[in-house]
Short mmCIF file of all heavy atoms in Angstrom, two decimals:
data_model
loop_
_atom_site.label_atom_id
_atom_site.label_comp_id
_atom_site.label_asym_id
_atom_site.label_seq_id
_atom_site.Cartn_x
_atom_site.Cartn_y
_atom_site.Cartn_z
N MET A 312 -94.00 -36.08 95.51
CA MET A 312 -94.42 -34.93 96.29
C MET A 312 -94.27 -33.65 95.41
O MET A 312 -94.93 -32.66 95.62
CB MET A 312 -93.89 -34.88 97.57
CG MET A 312 -94.45 -35.84 98.64
SD MET A 312 -93.71 -35.77 100.28
CE MET A 312 -94.33 -34.06 100.80
N GLY A 313 -93.26 -33.60 94.60
CA GLY A 313 -93.09 -32.52 93.69
C GLY A 313 -94.17 -32.39 92.67
O GLY A 313 -94.63 -31.26 92.36
N ARG A 314 -94.76 -33.47 92.25
CA ARG A 314 -95.87 -33.48 91.28
C ARG A 314 -97.14 -33.11 92.05
O ARG A 314 -97.90 -32.30 91.57
CB ARG A 314 -96.19 -34.84 90.63
CG ARG A 314 -95.03 -35.25 89.63
CD ARG A 314 -95.40 -36.46 88.76
NE ARG A 314 -95.33 -37.55 89.56
CZ ARG A 314 -94.21 -38.30 89.62
NH1 ARG A 314 -93.16 -37.98 88.94
NH2 ARG A 314 -94.07 -39.52 90.24
N LEU A 315 -97.25 -33.49 93.30
CA LEU A 315 -98.46 -33.06 94.06
C LEU A 315 -98.40 -31.58 94.31
O LEU A 315 -99.46 -30.92 94.36
CB LEU A 315 -98.46 -33.79 95.54
CG LEU A 315 -98.91 -35.24 95.50
CD1 LEU A 315 -98.64 -35.77 96.96
CD2 LEU A 315 -100.35 -35.41 95.05
N ALA A 316 -97.20 -31.04 94.49
CA ALA A 316 -97.00 -29.58 94.65
C ALA A 316 -97.58 -28.76 93.53
O ALA A 316 -98.08 -27.61 93.63
CB ALA A 316 -95.58 -29.16 95.12
N ARG A 317 -97.37 -29.35 92.38
CA ARG A 317 -97.77 -28.64 91.21
C ARG A 317 -99.41 -28.51 91.10
O ARG A 317 -99.93 -27.65 90.42
CB ARG A 317 -97.35 -29.28 89.86
CG ARG A 317 -95.85 -29.16 89.68
CD ARG A 317 -95.48 -29.51 88.22
NE ARG A 317 -95.63 -30.85 87.89
CZ ARG A 317 -94.75 -31.78 87.97
NH1 ARG A 317 -93.49 -31.52 88.56
NH2 ARG A 317 -94.90 -33.09 87.67
N THR A 318 -100.02 -29.49 91.81
CA THR A 318 -101.55 -29.43 91.88
C THR A 318 -102.10 -28.64 93.04
O THR A 318 -103.05 -27.99 92.85
CB THR A 318 -101.98 -30.91 91.76
OG1 THR A 318 -101.51 -31.60 90.73
CG2 THR A 318 -103.52 -30.98 91.83
N TYR A 319 -101.52 -29.01 94.15
CA TYR A 319 -102.06 -28.50 95.45
C TYR A 319 -101.24 -27.40 96.11
O TYR A 319 -101.73 -26.75 97.05
CB TYR A 319 -102.08 -29.67 96.42
CG TYR A 319 -103.02 -30.79 96.09
CD1 TYR A 319 -102.58 -31.95 95.58
CD2 TYR A 319 -104.42 -30.62 95.99
CE1 TYR A 319 -103.34 -32.95 95.18
CE2 TYR A 319 -105.23 -31.54 95.55
CZ TYR A 319 -104.69 -32.82 95.16
OH TYR A 319 -105.50 -33.87 94.75
N GLY A 320 -99.96 -27.14 95.53
CA GLY A 320 -99.14 -26.08 96.12
C GLY A 320 -98.17 -26.70 97.05
O GLY A 320 -98.49 -27.66 97.79
N ALA A 321 -96.94 -26.00 97.32
CA ALA A 321 -95.94 -26.69 98.07
C ALA A 321 -96.31 -26.52 99.41
O ALA A 321 -96.10 -27.51 100.32
CB ALA A 321 -94.70 -25.85 97.84
N LYS A 322 -97.05 -25.48 99.95
CA LYS A 322 -97.35 -25.38 101.35
C LYS A 322 -98.36 -26.43 101.77
O LYS A 322 -98.11 -27.06 102.83
CB LYS A 322 -97.96 -24.02 101.60
CG LYS A 322 -98.45 -23.67 103.04
CD LYS A 322 -99.12 -22.44 103.26
CE LYS A 322 -99.79 -22.24 104.73
NZ LYS A 322 -100.45 -20.95 104.84
N ARG A 323 -99.36 -26.65 101.02
CA ARG A 323 -100.40 -27.70 101.44
C ARG A 323 -99.67 -29.07 101.45
O ARG A 323 -100.00 -29.97 102.27
CB ARG A 323 -101.61 -27.64 100.49
CG ARG A 323 -102.43 -26.49 100.62
CD ARG A 323 -103.59 -26.44 99.73
NE ARG A 323 -104.44 -25.36 99.74
CZ ARG A 323 -105.55 -25.14 99.03
NH1 ARG A 323 -105.71 -26.05 98.02
NH2 ARG A 323 -106.25 -24.08 99.16
N THR A 324 -98.81 -29.33 100.45
CA THR A 324 -98.23 -30.70 100.46
C THR A 324 -97.21 -30.85 101.64
O THR A 324 -97.24 -31.97 102.15
CB THR A 324 -97.39 -30.77 99.09
OG1 THR A 324 -98.24 -30.47 97.95
CG2 THR A 324 -96.80 -32.21 99.01
N ILE A 325 -96.56 -29.76 102.09
CA ILE A 325 -95.67 -29.91 103.16
C ILE A 325 -96.50 -30.10 104.44
O ILE A 325 -96.09 -31.00 105.25
CB ILE A 325 -94.94 -28.61 103.39
CG1 ILE A 325 -93.90 -28.47 102.19
CG2 ILE A 325 -94.01 -28.71 104.71
CD1 ILE A 325 -93.18 -27.05 102.15
N LEU A 326 -97.58 -29.47 104.60
CA LEU A 326 -98.52 -29.67 105.68
C LEU A 326 -98.99 -31.09 105.85
O LEU A 326 -99.01 -31.75 106.86
CB LEU A 326 -99.73 -28.72 105.67
CG LEU A 326 -99.33 -27.07 105.97
CD1 LEU A 326 -100.52 -26.38 105.66
CD2 LEU A 326 -98.92 -26.98 107.39
N GLY A 327 -99.33 -31.62 104.63
CA GLY A 327 -99.76 -33.01 104.69
C GLY A 327 -98.63 -33.96 105.14
O GLY A 327 -98.93 -34.98 105.73
N SER A 328 -97.40 -33.67 104.64
CA SER A 328 -96.33 -34.53 105.13
C SER A 328 -96.07 -34.45 106.53
O SER A 328 -95.67 -35.40 107.16
CB SER A 328 -94.99 -34.13 104.31
OG SER A 328 -94.40 -32.82 104.79
N LEU A 329 -96.28 -33.20 107.14
CA LEU A 329 -96.12 -33.22 108.61
C LEU A 329 -97.15 -33.93 109.46
O LEU A 329 -96.75 -34.54 110.55
CB LEU A 329 -96.15 -31.70 109.03
CG LEU A 329 -95.14 -30.75 108.44
CD1 LEU A 329 -95.25 -29.37 109.06
CD2 LEU A 329 -93.63 -31.30 108.75
N VAL A 330 -98.35 -34.09 108.88
CA VAL A 330 -99.29 -34.98 109.52
C VAL A 330 -98.84 -36.39 109.41
O VAL A 330 -98.85 -37.23 110.49
CB VAL A 330 -100.68 -34.86 108.85
CG1 VAL A 330 -101.63 -35.89 109.37
CG2 VAL A 330 -101.22 -33.46 109.04
N ALA A 331 -98.24 -36.79 108.35
CA ALA A 331 -97.74 -38.14 108.16
C ALA A 331 -96.54 -38.46 109.03
O ALA A 331 -96.45 -39.47 109.67
CB ALA A 331 -97.44 -38.34 106.66
N TRP A 332 -95.56 -37.51 109.23
CA TRP A 332 -94.52 -37.56 110.11
C TRP A 332 -95.00 -37.75 111.55
O TRP A 332 -94.53 -38.58 112.27
CB TRP A 332 -93.69 -36.27 110.05
CG TRP A 332 -92.61 -36.26 109.05
CD1 TRP A 332 -92.52 -35.60 107.92
CD2 TRP A 332 -91.35 -37.12 109.11
NE1 TRP A 332 -91.36 -35.84 107.22
CE2 TRP A 332 -90.64 -36.75 107.96
CE3 TRP A 332 -90.80 -37.92 109.99
CZ2 TRP A 332 -89.29 -37.31 107.68
CZ3 TRP A 332 -89.61 -38.50 109.79
CH2 TRP A 332 -88.87 -38.21 108.60
N THR A 333 -95.96 -37.07 112.01
CA THR A 333 -96.45 -37.05 113.37
C THR A 333 -97.08 -38.45 113.71
O THR A 333 -96.81 -39.09 114.72
CB THR A 333 -97.61 -36.04 113.52
OG1 THR A 333 -97.05 -34.74 113.36
CG2 THR A 333 -98.09 -36.07 115.09
N LEU A 334 -97.87 -38.99 112.68
CA LEU A 334 -98.47 -40.40 112.91
C LEU A 334 -97.31 -41.39 112.89
O LEU A 334 -97.50 -42.38 113.68
CB LEU A 334 -99.53 -40.61 111.82
CG LEU A 334 -100.72 -39.59 111.86
CD1 LEU A 334 -101.65 -39.93 110.67
CD2 LEU A 334 -101.46 -39.76 113.15
N THR A 335 -96.43 -41.43 112.09
CA THR A 335 -95.40 -42.26 111.90
C THR A 335 -94.50 -42.41 113.15
O THR A 335 -94.21 -43.53 113.66
CB THR A 335 -94.54 -42.08 110.68
OG1 THR A 335 -95.37 -42.06 109.51
CG2 THR A 335 -93.41 -43.06 110.51
N LEU A 336 -94.20 -41.25 113.64
CA LEU A 336 -93.32 -41.13 114.85
C LEU A 336 -94.04 -41.59 116.00
O LEU A 336 -93.48 -42.35 116.96
CB LEU A 336 -92.91 -39.69 115.04
CG LEU A 336 -91.75 -39.48 116.02
CD1 LEU A 336 -90.41 -40.24 115.52
CD2 LEU A 336 -91.32 -38.09 116.21
N ALA A 337 -95.40 -41.27 116.15
CA ALA A 337 -96.17 -41.87 117.30
C ALA A 337 -96.23 -43.23 117.29
O ALA A 337 -96.17 -44.07 118.31
CB ALA A 337 -97.56 -41.15 117.23
N ALA A 338 -96.35 -43.92 116.09
CA ALA A 338 -96.45 -45.29 115.84
C ALA A 338 -95.11 -45.98 116.44
O ALA A 338 -94.90 -46.97 116.79
CB ALA A 338 -96.74 -45.71 114.44
N GLY A 339 -94.01 -45.25 116.11
CA GLY A 339 -92.61 -45.75 116.43
C GLY A 339 -92.47 -46.10 117.87
O GLY A 339 -91.73 -46.95 118.29
N PHE A 340 -93.12 -45.33 118.80
CA PHE A 340 -93.14 -45.54 120.19
C PHE A 340 -93.55 -46.91 120.60
O PHE A 340 -93.11 -47.45 121.52
CB PHE A 340 -93.99 -44.50 120.88
CG PHE A 340 -94.06 -44.69 122.36
CD1 PHE A 340 -93.06 -44.12 123.23
CD2 PHE A 340 -95.20 -45.22 122.98
CE1 PHE A 340 -93.07 -44.33 124.61
CE2 PHE A 340 -95.21 -45.40 124.47
CZ PHE A 340 -94.13 -44.94 125.12
N PHE A 341 -94.61 -47.47 119.84
CA PHE A 341 -95.12 -48.70 120.16
C PHE A 341 -94.49 -49.92 119.46
O PHE A 341 -95.06 -51.11 119.53
CB PHE A 341 -96.63 -48.72 119.82
CG PHE A 341 -97.36 -47.62 120.64
CD1 PHE A 341 -97.73 -46.48 120.02
CD2 PHE A 341 -97.79 -47.90 122.04
CE1 PHE A 341 -98.46 -45.46 120.69
CE2 PHE A 341 -98.46 -46.92 122.62
CZ PHE A 341 -98.80 -45.70 122.06
N LEU A 342 -93.41 -49.78 118.67
CA LEU A 342 -92.84 -50.79 118.03
C LEU A 342 -92.35 -51.88 118.98
O LEU A 342 -91.69 -51.53 119.95
CB LEU A 342 -91.68 -50.30 117.12
CG LEU A 342 -92.00 -49.61 115.76
CD1 LEU A 342 -90.67 -49.24 115.13
CD2 LEU A 342 -92.87 -50.44 114.90
N PRO A 343 -92.65 -53.14 118.65
CA PRO A 343 -92.14 -54.16 119.60
C PRO A 343 -90.67 -54.41 119.32
O PRO A 343 -90.14 -54.32 118.15
CB PRO A 343 -93.00 -55.37 119.14
CG PRO A 343 -93.39 -55.18 117.75
CD PRO A 343 -93.52 -53.66 117.67
N ALA A 344 -89.90 -54.82 120.26
CA ALA A 344 -88.53 -55.13 120.11
C ALA A 344 -88.38 -56.46 119.46
O ALA A 344 -89.17 -57.30 119.30
CB ALA A 344 -87.92 -55.26 121.56
N HIS A 345 -87.15 -56.55 118.79
CA HIS A 345 -86.80 -57.83 118.03
C HIS A 345 -87.95 -58.12 116.90
O HIS A 345 -88.25 -59.30 116.72
CB HIS A 345 -86.70 -58.91 118.89
CG HIS A 345 -85.75 -58.66 120.04
ND1 HIS A 345 -84.32 -58.47 119.95
CD2 HIS A 345 -85.93 -58.51 121.39
CE1 HIS A 345 -83.86 -58.21 121.07
NE2 HIS A 345 -84.66 -58.14 121.99
N ALA A 346 -88.40 -57.11 116.28
CA ALA A 346 -89.45 -57.34 115.24
C ALA A 346 -89.19 -56.50 113.98
O ALA A 346 -89.72 -55.43 113.76
CB ALA A 346 -90.85 -57.02 115.85
#
Side-chain angles (χ1 to χ4, degrees):
M312 288 183 65
R314 287 191 288 269
L315 286 175
R317 291 199 292 269
T318 302
Y319 301 103
K322 177 183 173 181
R323 291 180 180 176
T324 307
I325 295 170
L326 288 172
S328 76
L329 295 183
V330 173
W332 270 108
T333 301
L334 296 175
T335 301
L336 194 61
F340 177 81
F341 299 101
L342 284 184
H345 308 290

